Amino acid sequence: MDLAVIGSGYVGLVAGACLADAGNHVVCVDVSVEKIDLLNQGGVPIYEPGLEGLIARNRSKSRLSFTTNLKQALDSSEVVFIAVGTPEDEDGSADLSHVLAVAEQIAEQASEAKLVVTKSTVPVGTADKIRAKLAEHSDLEHRVASNPEFLKEGAAIADFQKPDRIIIGCDDATSQAQLERLYAPFNRRERRVVSMSVRSAELTKYAANAMLATRISFMNELANLCDDLGADITDVRYGMGSDRRIGPHFLFPGCGYGGSCFPKDVKALASTARERGQPLEVVEAVERVNAEQRTILVRKAVDALGADLSGKHFALWGLAFKANTDDLREAPSLYTVAELTRRGATVTAHDPVAIPATKALGLPGLSFAEDMYDALEGCDALLICTDWNDYRSPSLARVQTALKGDWVFDGRNLLNPDEVRSAGLRYSGIGRGR
Ligand code: NAD
């Protein structure tokens, strides 16, 4: 099938490359000349394991190309995916300006009717707005469908190629058949397509993210109670997760969820519900709990070292919002750094891949170390913000020697508290007792 993917970010690039790998001809479009130039030179603007090779293979077979020329992409495609960003607006709702701008451009530049599919996460009713835009600017009979994306950064290619489910939201049989045909190669072993109306598909994406975020905020609150009660959240987690109705996934407490999706999607769902006069109390609480949890490590540091952190120097391991990505959007590390420096401290950070992206933010009071142990030199304490494998089994002897102080604040519960204490350090995790 001939496809265009508008928006070549995390979702557009992965979807474009994986759909090309299944034998389709895909043109990925972006407004960023810099991004498209880099892609055309064989570079990849984001860190995502396996993506570079997948793009290279499909470019070499002429199934995947990149352009800033939307008209050209439209002329060579029958299905057009919209994969542009839907950031948080000032009031917490989803900002649809990029999505609707693309719809308008499609209407103005397409010379034949298309199936326009939203892959971006968009609130219920967006397809209607896209239809209205298309009708306002074109006489062609474009169709609109919803196909929300569920990939996880860091494992995006496997998620796309072997998804738990493919949500296809259509209000007409032609679009339904077209999308089922497109996704047939991803359904060979099991039938993964779940078909529904466009509105249900739009809501399903938010419902899934809100449920996952709820599990995290629930565990974070429970972990903070464990700290107070002297219980260990790790044992509680195993005990809970072994109930098949609950399951072991997504029960890890930490220093808050971040990333490009959960924070904005939770707020956008809450905003939709408020707008409809039916507030989602649980979802509102999930957001409030997370906003608090993002500074839990600083509160622990203040408990241990005193409220005045001026002159203190912290080592921070992990900048990316989670392992295996360089994505910093809403990363708990950034909230941690901001709060530490606001209190007069300085920070030296290490991350396996996200240092260049963090440097570009130009944060005051933050310096970087290319080696994780170098980051510790002369520091009063170590804080761990990201669950990179690199930090799971460090040499605690080296940590103890390099640090000036002796505190380790483990925001991802990566380390064994007894081992840390045996190395002559003091340990504070999330919900593992004081
Ligand atoms: P992103 O910011 O990485 O990429 C968006 C791209 O769209 C950018 O490269 C931008 O330059 C481009 N763009 C903006 N306006 C454009 C236009 N008019 N024409 C062409 N290109 C344009 O965003 P992302 O993380 O890929 O997310 C995209 C959407 O997918 C969002 O709605 C997001 O919520 C959703 N989503 C993201 C993930 C994820 O893990 N990142 C997972 C599932 C769903």
Side-chain angles (χ1 to χ4, degrees):
M1 219 177 268
D2 294 325
L3 313 172
V5 178
I6 319 298
S8 305
Y10 284 85
V11 166
L13 278 181
V14 170
C18 290
L19 288 167
D21 209 50
N24 301 288
H25 283 96
V26 183
V27 185
C28 288
V29 184
D30 206 283
V31 282
S32 164
V33 176
E34 201 186 337
K35 212 173 253 193
I36 295 298
D37 282 350
L38 179 67
L39 286 159
N40 279 326
Q41 285 154 22
V44 178
I46 55 170
Y47 176 83
E48 181 60 47
L51 184 59
E52 196 169 343
L54 195 68
I55 289 178
R57 180 163 78 233
N58 286 285
R59 278 184 79 218
S60 74
K61 297 199 189 291
S62 305
R63 287 195 298 243
L64 181 62
S65 60
F66 303 99
T67 182
T68 53
N69 188 330
L70 177 66
K71 168 81 179 142
Q72 200 185 341
L74 291 172
D75 284 347
S76 66
S77 58
E78 55 183 296
V79 179
V80 183
F81 285 94
I82 301 181
V84 297
T86 46
E88 184 185 330
D89 217 337
E90 279 159 17
D91 60 356
S93 64
D95 173 358
L96 290 178
S97 57
H98 301 297
V99 170
L100 296 178
V102 171
E104 189 170 328
Q105 287 158 8
I106 293 171
E108 285 169 352
Q109 298 183 36
S111 40
E112 280 170 28
K114 307 288 172 195
L115 170 56
V116 178
V117 185
T118 44
K119 221 173 210 332
S120 301
T121 303
V122 293
V124 174
T126 303
D128 298 332
K129 292 183 181 165
I130 294 174
R131 281 191 193 103
K133 269 273 178 245
L134 292 167
E136 192 187 330
H137 297 273
S138 165
D139 294 330
L140 294 170
E141 302 251 317
H142 298 292
R143 283 170 286 117
V144 179
S146 167
N147 171 222
E149 182 49 57
F150 291 87
L151 63 78
K152 299 184 290 295
E153 285 176 23
I157 291 168
D159 283 348
F160 195 97
Q161 292 180 328
K162 294 193 171 79
D164 289 339
R165 74 316 214 174
I166 298 161
I167 302 287
I168 294 185
C170 291
D171 296 333
D172 68 279
T174 312
S175 307
Q176 175 80 33
Q178 212 167 351
L179 287 176
E180 287 201 10
R181 194 153 41 84
L182 177 66
Y183 279 111
F186 303 91
N187 278 276
R188 282 167 56 79
R189 201 176 57 199
E190 280 171 60
R191 192 172 158 74
R192 299 174 200 271
V193 167
V194 183
S195 301
M196 55 184 74
S197 71
V198 168
R199 284 187 161 243
S200 300
E202 288 172 334
L203 186 56
T204 299
K205 173 67 192 177
Y206 283 104
N209 273 0
M211 176 57 112
L212 292 171
T214 301
R215 284 171 77 102
I216 295 176
S217 276
F218 178 80
M219 291 308 286
N220 283 340
E221 274 205 303
L222 211 56
N224 296 341
L225 185 63
C226 282
D227 270 341
D228 201 54
L229 297 175
D232 188 332
I233 193 68
T234 306
D235 295 332
V236 175
R237 176 169 63 80
Y238 288 139
M240 288 166 67
S242 56
D243 182 327
R244 281 195 209 149
R245 294 166 302 175
I246 298 172
H249 303 289
F250 247 79
L251 291 180
F252 290 88
C255 47
Y257 61 73
S260 67
C261 293
F262 287 180
K264 78 171 174 60
D265 292 350
V266 165
K267 285 188 208 157
L269 178 60
S271 164
T272 300
R274 276 196 307 273
E275 242 171 59
R276 305 298 298 181
Q278 304 213 35
L280 293 174
E281 304 292 352
V282 173
V283 175
E284 303 269 3
V286 166
E287 153 60 15
R288 281 199 305 277
V289 169
N290 194 58
E292 275 289 300
Q293 194 71 8
R294 287 187 300 220
T295 51
I296 184 85
L297 292 183
V298 182
R299 279 181 278 132
K300 282 174 180 281
V302 164
D303 279 351
L305 304 170
D308 182 10
L309 297 181
S310 52
K312 300 273 186 234
H313 190 54
F314 290 89
L316 185 142
W317 281 356
L319 290 160
F321 87 89
K322 67 172 180 177
N324 297 320
T325 181
D326 61 351
D327 200 339
L328 291 165
R329 289 177 282 187
E330 293 291 316
S333 66
L334 300 184
Y335 287 91
T336 304
V337 169
E339 186 57 19
L340 289 172
T341 52
R342 192 184 69 76
R343 289 170 177 269
T346 48
V347 181
T348 299
H350 171 269
D351 190 283
V353 301
I355 289 179
T358 316
K359 275 186 182 163
L361 301 176
L363 301 175
L366 177 63
S367 57
F368 303 93
E370 292 298 330
D371 180 275
M372 60 192 251
Y373 296 104
D374 288 349
L376 305 165
E377 285 301 331
C379 286
D380 293 284
L382 164 65
L383 300 95
I384 303 177
C385 284
T386 313
D387 55 339
W388 284 103
N389 275 343
D390 308 50
Y391 308 142
R392 285 171 198 264
S393 307
S395 160
L396 294 169
R398 284 183 74 180
V399 174
Q400 198 271 339
T401 309
L403 279 181
K404 185 176 80 186
D406 57 3
W407 272 105
V408 175
F409 300 103
D410 181 359
R412 297 290 171 190
N413 289 353
L414 299 184
L415 306 179
N416 178 320
D418 293 336
E419 287 175 13
V420 176
R421 291 182 185 120
S422 300
L425 295 158
R426 288 198 273 184
Y427 179 87
S428 178
I430 308 291
R432 305 178 97 180
R434 284 182 202 278

